[in-house]
């Protein structure tokens, strides 16, 4: 009986450790909350060169923001490859207890970031935006696999 308790304890600890592993990474950069019209830039560090993931545009905003925003996302990989995406992101007013909202829109699926190092990501709105506090990326591993 003592052996069964030990095995059960080891299984519980192993499950707890696995459940703490994150299958997503989110990074954001602040934007001017009034009159955002110029580019903002961030570095997105990557060390996993094999994982298949989806890349989402992430936005934090207030009730003053428009109903949607269009942003040009320019990404330069550590080896110099450049990708440019124009992303339309809805900004719904979900009922939150908080005084801000968040939204994300997938714009790249089944991506493998083959280079280790910092990816330079630039976000440029196509129109002047009010009420958007921060934008960034949220990457999620497909099927929770790394």
């Amino acid at each position: 009986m003592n052996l069964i308790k030990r095995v059960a304890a080891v299984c519980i600890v192993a499950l707890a450790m696995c459940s703490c592993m994150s299958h997503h990474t989110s990074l954001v950069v602040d934007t001017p909350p009034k009159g955002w019209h110029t580019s903002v830039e961030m570095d997105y560090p990557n060390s996993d060169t094999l994982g298949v993931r989806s890349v989402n545009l992430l936005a934090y905003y207030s009730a003053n923001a428009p109903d949607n925003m269009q942003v040009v996302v320019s990404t330069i990989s550590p080896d110099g490859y450049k990708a440019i995406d124009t992303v339309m992101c809805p900004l719904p007013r979900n009922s939150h207890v908080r005084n801000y909202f968040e939204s994300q829109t997938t714009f790249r699926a089944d991506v493998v970031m083959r280079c280790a190092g910092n990816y330079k990501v630039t976000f440029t709105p196509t129109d002047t935006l009010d009420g958007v506090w921060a934008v960034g990326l949220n990457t999620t591993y497909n099927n929770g696999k790394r």
Side-chain angles (χ1 to χ4, degrees), residues 63-135:
N64 298 335
D67 292 335
N68 55 56
M69 68 175 187
Q70 188 171 14
V71 177
V72 177
V73 182
S74 174
T75 308
I76 302 174
S77 67
D79 66 352
Y81 176 77
K82 187 172 186 176
I84 298 175
D85 297 282
T86 302
V87 184
M88 180 64 77
C89 183
L91 303 177
R93 303 307 185 269
N94 303 330
S95 59
H96 287 295
V97 177
R98 306 174 289 213
N99 62 353
Y100 68 92
F101 305 95
E102 76 178 71
S103 180
Q104 61 180 326
T105 300
T106 301
F107 68 95
R108 291 237 173 200
D110 298 328
V111 171
V112 176
M113 299 172 119
R114 297 196 186 278
C115 296
N118 286 330
Y119 285 70
K120 297 269 186 215
V121 185
T122 304
F123 305 94
T124 308
T126 58
D127 290 319
T128 300
L129 296 172
D130 288 333
V132 178
W133 297 342
V135 293

Side-chain angles (χ1 to χ4, degrees), residues 33-47:
K34 282 196 165 239
W36 176 37
H37 65 281
T38 59
S39 299
V40 293
E41 186 177 286
M42 71 175 199
D43 286 338
Y44 188 90
N46 180 54
S47 60

